Amino acid sequence: MPACEHALTARVSPPSSSTAVYKEECTQCFDNYDMEAGIDVCLTCFNGGCTNERRQHAQQHALKTGHHLAVTIKRTKKPAPAPSTGSASEDGQRPAKLTKLEIKEDSDDQYEATSSVRCWACGGRHVDTQATAGLAATVLAVVHAAEARQAGEIKAWAEEVTGCEHFEGIEQQAHGGF
């Protein structure tokens, strides 16, 4: 891939742990990174945009903000292992009895993610991530960053308990019994 002047001169930096990275779905529609086109994540502000031919939210974002570089992230499900035949396990033992029903989120090891960098100022042309050291580091950090939704869910469970200022000066009187 030929070098892109925008990639060579880009001032990008990896997201911090508190930065929201919208890499699972477009922030303006419901297209997501499981779709064939994937999601473009802006390497400047970490906004997620679709590359759908009708909507083109990623390209609109680049034109509006001047943030030309984006990493395209696509996720595909890995093929499932062949099911075993019969009810016994490979060692001849019966499978463990189910004692608990729970809902689990799909683990990342069931999926394969691919990424590539594109420059919207160059018509969406794909760019070599090794163009600058900062670009490669930023792409890696975006791909491995926690999704904004997950960060919000974690934050929702963290609660800081503080005292109410109205109760700070209250003195309780002993009550004389029942």
Side-chain angles (χ1 to χ4, degrees):
M1 280 180 251
C4 165
E5 68 179 88
H6 304 100
L8 295 173
T9 59
R11 292 180 154 210
V12 295
S13 59
S16 69
S17 60
S18 61
T19 303
V21 178
Y22 298 93
K23 66 179 189 179
E24 282 188 358
E25 65 183 20
C26 177
T27 57
Q28 297 181 40
C29 68
F30 294 108
D31 286 2
N32 62 45
Y33 65 175
D34 291 329
M35 298 175 112
E36 186 177 337
I39 291 293
D40 273 12
V41 180
C42 174
L43 291 177
T44 304
C45 67
F46 312 110
N47 179 66
C50 66
T51 56
N52 181 301
E53 289 182 21
R54 287 189 334 233
R55 293 185 287 271
Q56 299 179 352
H57 291 134
Q59 188 175 13
Q60 290 175 12
H61 172 78
L63 292 171
K64 182 178 179 182
T65 62
H67 300 166
H68 302 299
L69 296 176
V71 59
T72 304
I73 301 175
K74 298 177 189 179
R75 189 175 83 157
T76 55
K77 193 157 179 96
K78 291 179 182 176
S84 62
T85 57
S87 61
S89 64
E90 289 179 18
D91 61 0
Q93 300 292 323
R94 293 180 61 125
K97 183 179 178 184
L98 293 176
T99 58
K100 179 167 66 170
L101 179 64
E102 61 185 331
I103 299 172
K104 290 185 177 180
E105 190 170 347
D106 287 343
S107 64
D108 287 337
D109 62 347
Q110 294 180 359
Y111 296 93
E112 185 174 337
T114 58
S115 64
S116 61
V117 175
R118 73 169 67 202
C119 176
W120 285 108
C122 296
R125 185 177 80 192
H126 289 279
V127 176
D128 182 11
T129 57
Q130 303 307 318
T132 64
L135 182 60
T138 301
V139 168
L140 190 62
V142 167
V143 170
H144 294 294
E147 166 60 31
R149 175 188 54 82
Q150 290 172 326
E153 288 172 358
I154 293 167
K155 198 174 193 179
W157 286 98
E159 181 180 358
E160 185 177 330
V161 179
T162 58
C164 176
E165 65 184 60
H166 300 99
F167 291 108
E168 288 179 5
I170 289 182
E171 291 182 27
Q172 286 189 329
Q173 308 249 336
H175 188 54
F178 294 99

